[in-house]
Amino acid sequence: MYQDSEHIMSSEDERSLLLGRFRSFGKENFQPDENPERNILTLVKENSKFLSFSLSSNISEVFIRLEEAPLYWVYDSPLIQYIEDYLKFHVLSEGLNEHYKTIKEFYCKWAIIKSDAERQYFSSSAVKIIEKFSNKNNFLYKIYLGVIYIYEKTQYNPEKGFELLKSAENVINDLNLNDKFKDELLYILNIFLGFAYLKEANPHDAIEKFQKALTSRPYGVTAKFYLSYSEIKCNNLSVANSLLEEILQYDIVRAQQGVEAASIGMFHYLNSHCVFKNVFFYNEFSVLIYDIEELVLRFKEKFKKLYTSFSSRYEKLKILKLNEYYDDDIIKYFSFFSKYEQSVNKNNLFNMCAAEIMNQKLDFGLNSIMEGIRTRFYSTLAESLQMFDSQLIDLAKRIEKTNNEIANEKTTYKEKLAEAIIDLEKKVNVEIQNVENQINDLPNEKTSDAKSAFASTMTYNFVFSSIVFLMGGSAGYSGTTNAEFANDLHQVLSQIVITGLKWSAISFLLGFIIALVSSGMAIVERQNKKQRLIQKISYLKSFKERRIEAIKNEYEKKSQFTISALQSHLEKQVEKQVSLIKEREEAESKLKEEIEQKIAAEVEFLKPLMPNTEAV
């Protein structure tokens, strides 16, 4: 096909026919402006509107036409705003800010006004002020001057323009700018350098600059467009055609964003401001007319099939009147579809490309409607199963209560057992303490004291011996005759004393022996009593151990009995729960089967509208 293009170039007549075909195709398919010199103020407003759209960075570029390039620095774009803020805080002093406003005003008026005399005045004024107040880091002033020297006829100095733009590029590379804006600024500068080379009829160097611009922004559509233009100038038709296809795809993706946003106004704007239609402002692209026709028709054929599918399905859906299932998104996109049907020329490629996204949104709507149908039918399922669910909830609470009772019983059993053991230990320990006190008091008991027993016995012995002394003396006196008493009183008294002492001594000796025996018996009795008390302590301790063991067994049996009863009750509750769950599952399965049958009947009319007719 490129060989055909080269062959066409060999004949002036054929070239004229080719140009006519090129213009006719462009007018028929892209409706380019009859007058390429557009109203400047309208252009500025339109670009401001474009910048208001929330487009992703790879499709949000303002296309810069070669002939209108100076206007780029008039737009209120995020890049221009960033440059002005940066210069205000890092380069311009407070006084120089006022000069910047004046310079910008002169530059904007020069770029917008068409009168040659006024353009000359404003450009000259801008140049004078810039040269007076410029400094090495003010790259924006260098750009203003460079653009004026390249585009203003009365100031035309391309060499100085190149120098200033390259100087601005060097300054930008050295400054610590935000990476995003820095890349965008370098991209724009290289485009302007490429434009300067094109104006100097130097497409080879222009190609280098446009390629360099694409290193900063690989998806840059302005760079691709004029790179394609420059490649044609250098007769690299295959490269130019490949770039045109990328530009066309760029426009298609961007136009489809209007459908994604469900905004018919945004959709119309993006279509009417597509980049590709600028091809038809440059006759140089006419050499690729056959390739352009093939490219456009290929996309048209694709989108025509998609639109046919969409239109058929959408019309059938409207007949079904399923509005009750429309959510906010469906209403929004279906409203867009209706406006599209009423206001769009279906022969326009970029209008046709909406079919791809509209089919996707229609699929989304159909799926949403089907989900709405399912939701409506399944909404009765929960109500039908409410009886089971209520019983299961109640049963779950009872199971939880029983488990808590079992856990509580295990806890309280240990607490009650500990309390009983502590109470027993207290009582036994009190008795043991009493016995130990008795043992400690044994030395103080007179009844078991050997000394006390001996002293008491000896007291009785002394009394008894005294009585025996008197009785023995009396008995000896009774054996004495009156003649003897009369003859010798002294002898008689001696006899009484001796006799009394004899019996008294015998009695005292016996009493002493008895006192010794009594004292010994007291000692033995104390030891015996101590042993009995010690044995009692051992008994109490043994009793305590036996009683503790008995209490443990008693409480364990009671606890096991209670827990066993609770566990038996729990098992019955769990069995009932399992049985109820099984009943619920069976009921749910049966209800779902009935619901699915109803859904199948309801969505039967939607099946043919789905992209996969087997979908339900």
Side-chain angles (χ1 to χ4, degrees):
M1 195 169 287
Y2 305 122
Q3 291 177 352
D4 292 343
S5 297
E6 292 170 1
H7 177 69
I8 290 169
M9 295 291 289
S10 64
S11 168
E12 193 65 35
D13 293 336
E14 289 180 346
R15 187 179 304 173
S16 179
L17 290 172
L18 194 64
L19 183 59
R21 180 169 181 166
F22 171 75
R23 290 174 178 171
S24 176
F25 184 81
K27 184 176 181 180
E28 178 185 352
N29 290 277
F30 297 95
Q31 297 86 40
D33 298 331
E34 294 293 334
N35 181 11
E37 292 187 7
R38 297 178 286 183
N39 182 283
I40 301 301
L41 291 176
T42 302
L43 181 62
V44 172
K45 290 179 181 178
E46 287 180 345
N47 279 288
S48 296
K49 183 177 180 180
F50 174 79
L51 292 168
S52 69
F53 297 140
S54 298
L55 298 173
S56 57
S57 59
N58 61 324
I59 55 171
S60 61
E61 179 183 342
V62 174
F63 178 73
I64 307 171
R65 194 186 290 180
L66 171 63
E67 298 77 13
E68 301 165 345
L71 287 173
Y72 179 82
W73 304 102
V74 175
Y75 302 148
D76 189 23
S77 67
L79 176 62
I80 302 300
Q81 292 173 5
Y82 173 78
I83 291 172
E84 290 180 345
D85 289 340
Y86 180 85
L87 293 176
K88 179 179 178 181
F89 290 106
H90 297 89
V91 177
L92 298 174
S93 62
E94 186 173 349
L96 292 177
N97 271 321
E98 294 301 319
H99 295 302
Y100 167 70
K101 293 178 183 178
T102 303
I103 291 169
K104 183 178 180 180
E105 182 182 357
F106 286 155
Y107 178 88
C108 291
K109 288 181 177 179
W110 166 75
I112 294 172
I113 291 173
K114 292 187 176 182
S115 167
D116 290 340
E118 289 183 289
R119 284 174 61 86
Q120 180 180 358
Y121 167 75
F122 287 118
S123 64
S124 298
S125 300
V127 169
K128 287 178 183 178
I129 300 177
I130 290 173
E131 289 179 343
K132 184 176 180 179
F133 295 103
S134 183
N135 66 61
K136 64 177 183 178
N137 287 328
N138 196 328
F139 57 84
L140 185 58
Y141 285 180
K142 296 177 187 290
I143 293 172
Y144 281 165
L145 280 178
V147 174
I148 290 172
Y149 286 138
I150 293 170
Y151 278 89
E152 173 53 40
K153 292 183 289 186
T154 60
Q155 300 280 349
Y156 189 65
N157 189 341
E159 291 183 1
K160 199 167 184 179
F162 284 129
E163 181 183 344
L164 285 164
L165 291 179
K166 289 177 180 178
S167 176
E169 182 180 16
N170 292 331
V171 172
I172 291 165
N173 280 317
D174 292 337
L175 292 176
N176 186 25
L177 300 175
N178 174 280
D179 289 341
K180 173 189 171 184
F181 290 114
K182 187 174 187 176
D183 288 342
E184 185 176 354
L185 189 51
L186 291 172
Y187 169 78
I188 298 298
L189 270 180
N190 279 290
I191 285 177
F192 272 81
L193 285 167
F195 286 168
Y197 282 120
L198 286 178
K199 289 177 70 68
E200 286 293 289
N202 184 356
H204 292 284
D205 287 339
I207 287 173
E208 181 184 345
K209 290 302 174 183
F210 293 132
Q211 288 175 337
K212 187 176 181 181
L214 289 172
T215 61
S216 298
R217 180 179 271 191
Y219 42 81
V221 70
T222 302
K224 287 183 179 180
F225 183 91
Y226 285 101
L227 178 58
S228 177
Y229 176 81
S230 302
E231 294 289 3
I232 290 175
K233 289 279 191 180
C234 295
N235 206 32
N236 297 324
L237 303 185
S238 60
V239 176
N241 185 60
S242 177
L243 288 164
L244 285 182
E245 183 168 357
E246 292 182 27
I247 293 165
L248 186 62
Q249 290 176 330
Y250 175 95
D251 278 333
I252 289 170
V253 170
R254 193 166 70 173
Q256 289 174 339
Q257 292 303 301
V259 186
E260 290 284 358
S263 170
I264 196 68
M266 179 180 175
F267 179 72
H268 283 317
Y269 180 91
L270 294 174
N271 285 349
S272 61
H273 292 79
C274 64
V275 176
F276 196 83
K277 75 176 183 179
N278 289 280
V279 166
F280 301 97
F281 294 132
Y282 298 97
N283 293 335
E284 287 84 352
F285 284 105
S286 63
V287 297
L288 294 175
I289 181 56
Y290 294 117
D291 301 286
I292 292 172
E293 286 178 344
E294 188 275 331
L295 176 65
V296 171
L297 292 175
R298 173 158 47 92
F299 276 102
K300 269 192 171 184
E301 187 65 26
K302 170 188 173 183
F303 294 131
K304 184 177 180 180
K305 290 179 181 178
L306 288 171
Y307 178 74
T308 301
S309 170
F310 163 80
S311 181
S312 172
R313 296 193 299 145
Y314 181 54
E315 290 301 321
K316 291 176 181 177
L317 178 61
K318 287 193 291 185
I319 294 171
L320 295 177
K321 296 183 179 180
L322 299 171
N323 303 50
E324 61 182 300
Y325 299 108
Y326 291 2
D327 59 18
D328 290 342
D329 283 336
I330 294 176
I331 293 170
K332 178 176 70 174
Y333 284 113
F334 282 16
S335 174
F336 176 87
F337 297 162
S338 297
K339 293 175 183 176
Y340 175 90
E341 292 286 295
Q342 296 167 9
S343 63
V344 167
N345 173 12
K346 312 300 187 301
N347 192 45
N348 181 287
L349 170 62
F350 297 112
N351 288 335
M352 294 172 67
C353 75
E356 184 172 19
I357 305 300
M358 289 196 299
N359 267 296
Q360 295 174 8
K361 298 305 177 183
L362 182 58
D363 294 342
F364 166 81
L366 288 168
N367 284 317
S368 182
I369 290 169
M370 294 183 75
E371 187 59 34
I373 293 171
R374 295 184 67 84
T375 300
R376 180 169 69 85
F377 279 104
Y378 270 96
S379 64
T380 61
L381 180 63
E383 185 178 347
S384 301
L385 298 173
Q386 182 63 38
M387 178 187 69
F388 292 101
D389 292 336
S390 298
Q391 291 181 28
L392 285 170
I393 290 171
D394 180 63
L395 196 53
K397 290 180 179 178
R398 282 188 281 160
I399 289 172
E400 183 181 6
K401 181 181 177 182
T402 304
N403 279 319
N404 290 336
E405 288 175 353
I406 292 172
N408 185 59
E409 175 59 30
K410 290 179 179 178
T411 303
T412 55
Y413 149 70
K414 293 179 181 179
E415 292 175 353
K416 290 178 181 178
L417 176 61
E419 289 175 1
I421 291 173
I422 290 171
D423 185 58
L424 174 65
E425 286 180 336
K426 284 182 178 179
K427 291 179 180 178
V428 174
N429 288 340
V430 168
E431 291 191 35
I432 290 174
Q433 185 63 46
N434 291 334
V435 175
E436 287 177 344
N437 291 337
Q438 291 179 34
I439 292 172
N440 293 331
D441 288 340
L442 283 177
N444 300 324
E445 290 184 4
K446 292 183 178 182
T447 56
S448 59
D449 183 50
K451 290 181 180 180
S452 297
F454 182 78
S456 177
T457 304
M458 286 303 294
T459 300
Y460 289 122
N461 186 29
F462 180 76
V463 172
F464 183 74
S465 295
S466 296
I467 294 172
V468 169
F469 172 76
L470 293 174
M471 291 178 64
S474 298
Y477 169 73
S478 64
T480 305
T481 63
N482 292 325
E484 291 175 348
F485 181 75
N487 293 327
D488 192 353
L489 180 60
H490 178 73
Q491 185 179 1
V492 171
L493 290 172
S494 298
Q495 182 64 35
I496 291 171
V497 169
I498 292 169
T499 302
L501 288 174
K502 181 179 70 172
W503 287 107
S504 175
I506 293 170
S507 174
F508 183 80
L509 179 62
L510 288 172
F512 179 76
I513 292 170
I514 290 170
L516 289 175
V517 170
S518 176
S519 177
M521 289 179 67
I523 292 171
V524 171
E525 178 60 24
R526 179 186 289 180
Q527 292 297 323
N528 288 338
K529 189 173 183 179
K530 185 176 182 180
Q531 287 299 319
R532 287 196 300 272
L533 292 173
I534 290 172
Q535 287 175 357
K536 188 175 181 179
I537 289 173
S538 297
Y539 169 78
L540 288 172
K541 289 182 177 179
S542 176
F543 170 79
K544 182 177 74 173
E545 296 297 327
R546 292 194 305 274
R547 187 56 187 156
I548 286 174
E549 192 65 31
I551 290 172
K552 285 182 179 179
N553 291 333
E554 179 184 349
Y555 274 84
E556 186 175 356
K557 286 179 181 178
K558 287 182 180 179
S559 178
Q560 286 178 348
F561 177 79
T562 303
I563 291 173
S564 177
L566 288 171
Q567 286 178 335
S568 176
H569 182 57
L570 179 63
E571 288 174 1
K572 291 178 181 178
Q573 288 176 329
V574 171
E575 286 176 4
K576 186 176 180 180
Q577 184 185 48
V578 171
S579 175
L580 196 58
I581 289 173
K582 186 176 180 181
E583 288 180 31
R584 186 191 184 283
E585 289 175 348
E586 290 174 354
E588 183 179 16
S589 178
K590 184 177 180 180
L591 287 169
K592 281 184 176 180
E593 186 177 345
E594 293 173 358
I595 289 172
E596 289 296 333
Q597 290 174 356
K598 293 178 182 178
I599 291 173
E602 187 82 8
V603 302
E604 185 66 28
F605 297 105
L606 286 176
K607 282 184 180 180
L609 307 185
M610 298 299 293
N612 177 5
T613 55
E614 296 178 1
V616 179

